[in-house]
Amino acid sequence: MTLKPNNMPSPAANQPGRLPPVRVKLLRPDAFAAQTHPPDGESKNWWQRLNQALGTTSIDFVNASLLQIHAAARSPFGTISETHINAALAMIEAAAPKDEIEAALAVQMACTHTAAMAILAKLDSGFGTERRISAFGSAAARLMRAFATQVEVLRRLRNGGQQFVRVEHVHVNDGGRAVIGNVKKPDAQY
């Protein structure tokens, strides 16, 4: 069963003011080659929205990123899945990259997620041997671990690698002492 999405931009249901993610349409739904173009009714601002979704002003970067997403969005029959491309674009836009470095990481994250889900789908194929199922499970686990690492790298890239610790509740008993703030131990001299 395939649901037909509403192609007209409108605010997302739970997030007022947020437009649905930018989408692409394939010239043929079973295309073997990348032939993307704007969905019906979205051609006016489509390139601008793609640039914004990828945090860039470079058309070449957008084209290269779309080709990378196309490579990851292949069906088991070798065709490109429009649904997977649009899901990857939604994930990239949700990451809200500020520049090409963050966008490249967001593209990697979307492609890693797509690959992990494709491998997990093969686990339930019903005709795999124990060795094959074990290999698929291992590959999926490695991809999901890589995705988690990529999410952490994006967080560090944005926050400068600094940790933030918030203490919600502290008990100091009678006669006890408490220090609030950054506490650093003086360098020990040996």
Side-chain angles (χ1 to χ4, degrees), residues 152-165:
E152 180 62 20
V153 167
L154 182 62
R155 186 194 65 76
R156 285 184 186 168
L157 184 62
R158 290 186 174 162
N159 296 334
Q162 298 176 358
Q163 291 184 349
F164 177 75
V165 178

Side-chain angles (χ1 to χ4, degrees), residues 37-174:
H37 67 283
D40 299 333
E42 292 186 29
S43 60
K44 186 176 181 182
N45 299 324
W46 186 64
W47 275 106
Q48 180 183 3
R49 289 202 61 207
L50 277 174
N51 284 345
Q52 190 176 22
L54 290 164
T56 186
T57 57
S58 169
I59 292 173
D60 293 329
F61 184 80
V62 170
N63 284 326
S65 297
L66 282 174
L67 288 173
Q68 292 161 355
I69 295 167
H70 292 163
R74 295 237 177 235
S75 75
F77 307 108
T79 59
I80 300 170
S81 168
E82 186 176 296
T83 302
H84 288 126
I85 292 171
N86 288 323
L89 282 172
M91 184 181 287
I92 292 164
E93 193 167 0
K98 297 175 194 127
D99 57 25
E100 289 81 2
I101 299 296
E102 286 187 9
L105 186 56
V107 169
Q108 287 178 18
M109 290 166 56
C111 292
T112 301
H113 174 74
T114 301
M117 296 303 108
I119 290 175
L120 284 174
K122 290 181 181 183
L123 284 176
D124 193 26
S125 62
F127 58 86
T129 63
E130 281 187 42
R131 177 180 263 175
R132 184 179 167 126
I133 290 171
S134 175
F136 282 152
S138 177
R142 285 192 309 269
L143 285 167
M144 289 186 288
R145 196 174 320 117
F147 179 80
T149 302
Q150 291 164 336
V151 170
E152 180 62 20
V153 167
L154 182 62
R155 186 194 65 76
R156 285 184 186 168
L157 184 62
R158 290 186 174 162
N159 296 334
Q162 298 176 358
Q163 291 184 349
F164 177 75
V165 178
R166 182 174 68 196
V167 178
E168 294 284 337
H169 195 77
V170 177
H171 290 281
V172 180
N173 295 326
D174 291 338

